[in-house]
Amino acid sequence: MKWPSRYVLRKTALVSVIAAAISISLSTGVRAVLGIEADTVTVLVRLILPFAIAIPIALVGFSKLEETLNAYRDLMRKSSELARRAATDPLTGLLNRRSFIEQFDLTMAHGVGGLFVLADADRLKAINDQYGHLAGDDAIIALGKALETVMGSDCLIARIGGDEFCAFVPNRTATLNDAQLAEINRLATEGFATRSGNDRQPVSATCGSVVLRPPTTFREAIERTDRRLYGEKQARSSSGAVQFA
């Protein structure tokens, strides 16, 4: 048998004392009005009976109440977890495409412009083919973490495809610079080495960025940034370093 929790015991004790006090007060008042003397047995009954009735009833009632509260809290935790999972990419923990679009549209609706970034992982298929798909997953995770670190905590960032990421930094009026792009590359490579144990394979991305002003739809943002991204892909060097537009 499960021993009652402290919550149940405290509530039971409180209710029992209140019930006993009310019972004794009423009994004493009635006897005083009627002029009836109370003998020893009557006094003991008046003291013991309220506790004998209140304690088991309160124990059962508060135990049931506690079970209901705990079940409700578990339900809320599970609902929150399901909502979090529905909003995030399961591999990287970043926002998924739908959640990013919802938050991006909300930001634009409030008149907030900023920097929109697209990033494609370089040579992901080659990593998958040479080292396996788990290594490819490590590369994706490492690149997502690198982008998240460099873009900052106030940005929206999502994985929107197999090797594609996008980010939006509110109120930023400058595109990515060489130092930031080199840092993405460095952090991604280091993160991949840490996760996979492979310190010979660089991980990099081709990035395109544009500054947006509201109102701009997600589709318009993608179209504008795509042109910068794929123009840079065509012009990039064979070194595999992080590229920018």
Side-chain angles (χ1 to χ4, degrees):
M1 180 180 177
K2 184 180 178 181
W3 184 255
S5 68
R6 291 182 179 179
Y7 166 81
V8 172
L9 292 176
R10 284 198 303 268
K11 293 295 184 180
T12 297
L14 178 62
V15 168
S16 299
V17 169
I18 293 173
I22 293 173
S23 176
I24 292 170
S25 297
L26 289 175
S27 176
T28 301
V30 170
R31 287 181 176 276
V33 171
L34 298 178
I36 301 174
E37 293 292 332
D39 55 24
T40 302
V41 174
T42 302
V43 172
L44 290 175
V45 169
R46 287 161 55 193
L47 289 173
I48 296 172
L49 189 60
F51 288 102
I53 295 174
I55 289 175
I57 293 176
L59 280 173
V60 172
F62 285 115
S63 294
K64 293 294 184 183
L65 177 61
E66 185 179 44
E67 289 177 6
T68 301
L69 291 174
N70 288 338
Y72 176 76
R73 293 190 188 102
D74 288 341
L75 178 62
M76 291 299 99
R77 281 194 293 267
K78 290 176 181 177
S79 296
S80 297
E81 178 62 18
L82 287 173
R84 185 192 68 78
R85 291 182 181 181
T88 56
D89 170 59
L91 180 62
T92 62
L94 302 174
L95 293 173
N96 59 27
R97 185 186 185 96
R98 181 184 65 184
S99 296
F100 180 91
I101 293 173
E102 290 174 351
Q103 296 191 41
F104 175 79
D105 288 345
L106 184 62
T107 302
M108 283 289 157
H110 283 79
V112 179
L115 178 67
F116 191 90
V117 179
L118 279 181
D120 280 359
D122 295 327
R123 302 181 307 279
L124 181 62
K125 186 178 185 303
I127 294 175
N128 286 333
D129 292 344
Q130 186 172 357
Y131 302 109
H133 284 82
L134 289 179
D137 288 347
D138 288 336
I140 288 294
I141 294 170
L143 182 55
K145 294 293 184 184
L147 288 165
E148 194 173 24
T149 299
V150 173
M151 301 309 296
S153 59
D154 60 340
C155 77
L156 301 174
I157 182 166
R159 182 186 178 207
I160 59 172
D163 62 350
E164 299 175 320
F165 297 84
C166 68
F168 179 70
V169 188
N171 299 315
R172 178 165 168 170
T173 58
T175 56
L176 294 178
N177 58 43
D178 291 325
Q180 290 171 316
L181 293 159
E183 183 69 358
I184 292 171
N185 183 45
R186 185 186 69 82
L187 291 174
T189 299
E190 288 182 357
F192 177 72
T194 300
R195 293 188 62 86
S196 67
N198 183 347
D199 59 1
R200 301 179 304 278
Q201 174 62 51
V203 174
S204 62
T206 303
C207 299
S209 61
V210 295
V211 176
L212 302 177
R213 294 180 176 82
T216 302
T217 66
F218 177 75
R219 183 182 181 87
E220 291 168 343
I222 288 287
E223 288 175 345
R224 287 180 57 187
T225 316
D226 256 344
R227 289 193 290 268
R228 302 293 301 274
L229 176 67
Y230 287 106
E232 186 59 35
K233 278 190 172 183
Q234 292 175 356
R236 70 186 181 181
S237 67
S238 59
S239 66
V242 172
Q243 305 294 322
F244 68 97

